[in-house]
Amino acid sequence: MNYRQVKDKIILKDINSFNIEQILECGQCFRFYKISEGHYLIIAKAKVLKILQTDEEVIFYPATIEDFKNLWISYFDLNRDYDIIKQLLAEKDQYLNKAIDYAPGIRILNQDPWECLISFIISQNKQIPHIKQVVNHISRRFGQYIDTVDNIDYFAFPTAEELSKAKEEDLRACKAGFRAPYILDACKKIKSGEIDLEKLKYLPYEEAKTTLLNIKAVGPKIADCVLLFAFGKWEAFPVDIWIKRIMESLYFNREISLNEIGHFAREQFGNYAGLAQQYLFYYGRQLKIGK
DNA sequence: GCCCAGGCACTCA
DNA sequence: TGAGTGCCTGGG
């Protein structure tokens, strides 16, 4: 990878395994908008960033070289060599091999744990456009103003401190529905220090997961999402309804319990299970496998 | 109007 | 321990 700054843009070249559409549309994050083909706007790290990908390069703007080094390299996981991992995974089985070929540009983002936690609490029983909507309402109402881009105001996702000012009815007004008290429970546990998200990063997968399960409305699926997308714990293999259908259809040819799927995934994909999940999810969802 | 969506809590056997 | 059911809300 090499990059340089040209005015307010960072131009990135020679990067393998990077496709902005696949990265954003594989279900790991919610605060992004498609501007046009290969052109997206994201809100992360209290910034509004556009990303334009062409055949030869990826342009991040507006961004300084400092932002790029301090924020975006880590956020987009740019220092990791995905080619080696993909080779390892592709040897596991033909289905995963196909899924990797289908979307070789997927990367796992390093997101903010708090935002990730609340976003996935919101995700239950909702479709992605709805989740995005609720996260936006909450940001607009409780988060800090970031910037106005193309006449649209953008707001950061509120901190636990900021969000704990919300009342249940405020969150219901943000269309959180029955999840409103769950969000407040998470606020309370984080704000009081009962659960310290910063510390989870340093705990082993199982221990961190057990801690997260103490939050109301956080079950195995949501815990795994947070562990994978915010804490870099790639042993996590979130099993949602899509992955269940996809795995049943590709690997089992019958109905199977969530537990069995998790067990199978750990055996089959090992320490890279989480990345395998992303390839299978994107592949299966785009092709509507099992639906 | 009905059904379902990237789960979970709660209840009951 | 496992199966069954209800849940805000919006879109098809």
Side-chain angles (χ1 to χ4, degrees), chain A residues 31 33 43 132-141:
Chain A
R31 301 206 75 194
Y33 299 95
I43 304 134
K132 288 169 114 175
Q133 209 178 72
V134 178
V135 172
N136 269 329
H137 282 136
I138 290 179
S139 301
R140 179 166 291 271
R141 179 112 186 233

Side-chain angles (χ1 to χ4, degrees), chain A residues 144-163:
Chain A
Q144 299 283 336
Y145 168 78
I146 304 174
D147 200 357
T148 303
V149 178
D150 304 327
N151 292 321
I152 298 172
D153 295 339
Y154 290 96
F155 295 80
F157 191 82
T159 61
E161 182 75 35
E162 286 162 353
L163 193 53

Side-chain angles (χ1 to χ4, degrees), chain A residues 23-24 26-30 107-109 111 116 120 229 278:
Chain A
I23 290 170
L24 296 176
C26 70
Q28 56 180 324
C29 62
F30 301 106
R107 276 173 183 265
I108 294 188
L109 299 172
Q111 300 182 61
C116 194
F120 280 97
F229 302 138
Q278 290 299 97

Side-chain angles (χ1 to χ4, degrees), chain A residues 95 98-99 102 250 279-287 289:
Chain A
Y95 308 115
K98 247 190 223 168
Y102 185 80
L250 293 180
Y279 291 124
L280 290 168
F281 180 87
Y282 186 87
Y283 174 66
R285 198 160 165 271
Q286 297 289 320
L287 300 182
I289 290 174

Side-chain angles (χ1 to χ4, degrees), chain A residues 44-92:
Chain A
K45 306 274 180 191
K47 305 233 179 232
V48 179
L49 179 74
K50 288 181 182 173
I51 301 120
L52 172 62
Q53 181 159 25
T54 65
D55 288 342
E56 300 88 40
E57 57 195 24
V58 188
I59 302 168
F60 299 78
Y61 71 102
T64 63
I65 211 93
E66 285 74 29
D67 283 351
F68 192 72
K69 279 186 189 164
N70 297 332
L71 305 175
W72 305 123
I73 286 183
S74 139
Y75 186 76
F76 289 100
D77 206 24
L78 295 177
N79 278 334
R80 195 190 302 264
D81 185 348
Y82 277 70
D83 285 359
I84 291 176
I85 304 170
K86 281 193 293 190
Q87 264 178 28
L88 279 170
L89 284 176
E91 288 166 8
K92 300 278 185 189

